[in-house]
């Protein structure tokens, strides 16, 4: 995957456009977490619950992620007061 597509994916994640992300992933046949890089911090910090659900179907595990400094998605969501994301992560953890 070229850097233009990766940059577009990163931008779409940061602005929270789930529909466009789904189109990008489908159009470019991106389905592996390796190809997506690290979308966790942007998704969780910005409270993009629907995007987290979509990315989970692509193989990303928001429960297991840890950043280089040891922070989890829950840490990022709480730090940015993303209540709906916290609720989603708690439901996933208990589900």
């Amino acid at each position: 995957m070229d850097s233009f597509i990766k940059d577009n994916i990163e931008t779409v994640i940061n602005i929270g456009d789930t529909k466009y992300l789904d189109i990008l992933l489908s159009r470019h046949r991106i389905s592996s977490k390796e190809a997506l890089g690290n979308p966790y911090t942007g998704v969780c910090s910005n409270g993009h619950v629907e995007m987290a659900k979509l990315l989970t179907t692509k193989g990303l595990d928001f429960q297991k992620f840890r950043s280089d400094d040891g922070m989890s998605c829950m840490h990022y969501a709480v730090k940015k007061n993303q209540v709906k994301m916290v609720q989603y992560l708690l439901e996933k953890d208990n589900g």
Side-chain angles (χ1 to χ4, degrees), residues 25-93:
L25 297 177
S26 298
R27 184 167 290 157
H28 297 284
R29 292 183 175 86
I30 301 166
S31 60
S32 70
K33 59 184 174 184
E34 291 80 21
L36 289 167
N38 177 7
Y40 299 100
T41 56
V43 171
C44 295
S45 293
N46 294 306
H48 303 314
V49 175
E50 292 305 313
M51 191 168 285
K53 290 177 183 177
L54 171 66
L55 292 171
T56 297
T57 68
K58 302 295 182 185
L60 277 74
D61 188 341
F62 284 80
Q63 303 307 99
K64 292 183 179 178
F65 167 76
R66 293 291 179 274
S67 65
D68 291 340
D69 59 357
M71 288 181 61
S72 68
C73 284
M74 183 66 78
H75 288 115
Y76 284 102
V78 168
K79 185 177 179 180
K80 295 290 188 165
N81 199 28
Q82 298 295 343
V83 176
K84 290 182 180 180
M85 180 60 76
V86 169
Q87 289 171 331
Y88 169 73
L89 293 170
L90 287 172
E91 289 168 8
K92 289 283 292 172
D93 196 37

Side-chain angles (χ1 to χ4, degrees), residues 3-17:
S3 63
F4 178 75
I5 300 301
K6 280 189 175 186
D7 290 345
N8 275 326
I9 289 172
E10 184 177 323
T11 299
V12 168
I13 286 171
N14 286 331
I15 63 172
D17 192 335

